[in-house]
Amino acid sequence: MKLTIEYDTFEIGSDEIIVTVKNITGEQNEAYGKTILVGAYPEHYIEIEMDGDWYQLGLKHNVVWNDFGAALRWGEEFHTTIQLDIWDFEWIEGHYRIVMPISGRFYSVEFEMIK
């Protein structure tokens, strides 16, 4: 499994981050063969690293989204857009990561936020 984003640095004020999940695993799953299951919102979340520890960002109140996910066969990709204005957080310069559930495990991809 490979989790990537389009860039590793974003400017404060950016609207979104596009995440790509690609199934490159050779692992066998009894129920789905080599298919991986990508979880849906609200299971994705963003964390900020501060003093060596990770802290999860909360969502704003009244946030609404479509509940979606994907089942990916080996070699297939899934793209999802993470909107940055739904988080109840004033973005600051720092080190962040997006965490996503995939087939019962959590994977992350890290990025920097700059001015």
Side-chain angles (χ1 to χ4, degrees):
M1 193 289 307
K2 184 176 181 181
L3 184 65
T4 59
I5 54 179
E6 54 195 332
Y7 308 106
D8 60 1
T9 303
F10 296 87
E11 290 185 10
I12 293 172
S14 297
D15 296 326
E16 63 189 24
I17 298 176
I18 298 172
V19 179
T20 301
V21 179
K22 184 171 184 177
N23 184 354
I24 58 171
T25 182
E27 298 174 14
Q28 292 290 327
N29 178 308
E30 291 179 18
Y32 299 100
K34 292 183 179 178
T35 299
I36 62 172
L37 302 175
V38 180
Y41 279 118
E43 295 176 353
H44 304 167
Y45 55 90
I46 296 179
E47 295 179 326
I48 183 171
E49 182 183 25
M50 301 180 88
D51 298 323
D53 293 317
W54 290 98
Y55 299 92
Q56 186 172 337
L57 305 184
L59 292 170
K60 291 181 179 177
H61 295 289
N62 300 321
V63 171
V64 178
W65 56 78
N66 292 329
D67 188 18
F68 63 89
L72 303 177
R73 292 187 184 99
W74 193 89
E76 292 181 330
E77 291 182 348
F78 172 75
H79 306 279
T80 187
T81 301
I82 306 295
Q83 298 295 331
L84 298 180
D85 63 350
I86 66 171
W87 305 95
D88 191 16
F89 182 76
E90 187 169 328
W91 294 94
I92 59 173
E93 287 188 302
H95 190 74
Y96 297 81
R97 67 183 176 190
I98 297 169
V99 181
M100 297 179 71
I102 301 172
S103 288
R105 296 182 183 164
F106 285 87
Y107 294 87
S108 66
V109 60
E110 299 180 13
F111 65 95
E112 298 290 327
M113 192 66 79
I114 61 171
K115 288 186 180 181

